[in-house]
Amino acid sequence: DQMGQAMSTSPSFIEATGGSVAEDGDYKVHTFSTSGTFEITSGTGNLQLLVLAGGAGGAGGGGGAGGHLEVAELERTVGSFTVTVGAGSSGVGGGGGQSASNGNNSVFDDQTAIGGGGGGGLDASRNGNNGGSGGGSFKDGDGGSGTTGQGTNGGTGGDGEPYPHGGGGGASVAGGNSSGSTGGAGGNGKSNSITGSAVTRAGGGAGLGVRNSVNGASGGTGGGGDSTKGNNGTAGTNGLGAGGGGTWDTGTGGDGGNGIVIVRYQFQ
């Protein structure tokens, strides 16, 4: 009868391949630390996504975190979907004149997270770059702008001795402005529980503080701290899309951390 037919019909759960696969109750979680392909082999349903771009390297200002893009429901059916995991960008010399390059975008199909904005260097503008989260400025330049829904702005440094610099923006907190002789702290990241456990990702890198001080400011979640004059800034953490810390003179800013792409769906 019709009731019997209705009761015997089972949901068309998704079956899929790609990345590193784990189970969380009735859900599967595919984690991509490198680029690849997510393929739905059968079924139709909603995907939950975290697409995290690569963080930016530091210069004088701290590097901005990679864009932190969350998608609660993305309906997909059988097919192959390209996954690109953005690498973090390299830090540059704090006195070399150039801002650091931006981190690289991460992509799931048509969903794109924007790479973090590079930390500002001693160039004409001294500004941090725009990005997923903005880079911190060199001295009295402007912090870079973040991308709406993915990150925040970078912080601003000081005008005059001892020339502290701004911190890179994080996913939930903007990069800190310098205060007195202390560089701006990196902005904190954002917590997400897509894997079944809460993890905070996408913190910004710290801007350089007083030239001769150690760690005048700390990085945001996973973000690198600043360095002593002539030494290197510390790197952002891979897989967290974190920004690298700033540096001065002969040192090199910390590298930005690589991003990650995570896909979750109900399989039973």
Side-chain angles (χ1 to χ4, degrees):
D1 59 20
Q2 291 182 344
M3 177 175 288
Q5 292 175 358
M7 292 179 63
S8 65
T9 301
S10 60
S12 178
F13 290 116
I14 287 177
E15 294 184 7
T17 61
S20 175
V21 185
E23 294 184 8
D24 177 35
D26 291 338
Y27 292 81
K28 283 189 177 179
V29 180
H30 294 238
T31 299
F32 291 83
S33 298
T34 58
S35 299
T37 301
F38 178 79
E39 183 174 3
I40 299 178
T41 56
S42 66
T44 299
N46 287 319
L47 308 177
Q48 182 182 350
L49 302 179
L50 174 64
V51 186
L52 179 62
H68 187 283
L69 174 62
E70 299 177 60
V71 180
E73 292 184 350
L74 184 70
E75 186 175 358
R76 288 292 183 269
T77 188
V78 173
S80 296
F81 307 94
T82 299
V83 177
T84 303
V85 177
S89 65
S90 298
V92 300
Q98 299 300 313
S99 298
S101 297
N102 285 11
N104 293 282
N105 295 349
S106 289
V107 181
F108 179 91
D109 193 27
D110 58 354
Q111 304 294 313
T112 300
I114 306 300
L122 183 60
D123 56 18
S125 70
R126 302 174 180 169
N127 296 340
N129 293 347
N130 301 334
S133 282
S137 76
F138 189 98
K139 300 202 311 186
D140 55 348
D142 295 324
S145 297
T147 300
T148 301
Q150 297 191 18
T152 65
N153 298 340
T156 300
D159 183 12
E161 290 283 356
Y163 301 120
H165 308 316
S172 65
V173 177
N177 298 329
S178 67
S179 176
S181 59
T182 302
N188 274 331
K190 185 175 182 180
S191 179
N192 178 281
S193 300
I194 191 170
T195 61
S197 300
V199 178
T200 302
R201 305 175 175 87
L208 180 79
V210 178
R211 297 187 196 184
N212 295 314
S213 70
V214 179
N215 294 329
S218 60
T221 315
D226 71 352
S227 73
T228 308
K229 179 179 179 180
N231 292 337
N232 297 333
T234 52
T237 303
N238 286 330
L240 298 185
T247 188
W248 188 274
D249 293 353
T250 58
T252 301
D255 295 341
N258 297 337
I260 201 166
V261 175
I262 304 175
V263 187
R264 177 185 177 95
Y265 58 89
Q266 188 172 0
F267 78 99
Q268 66 179 15

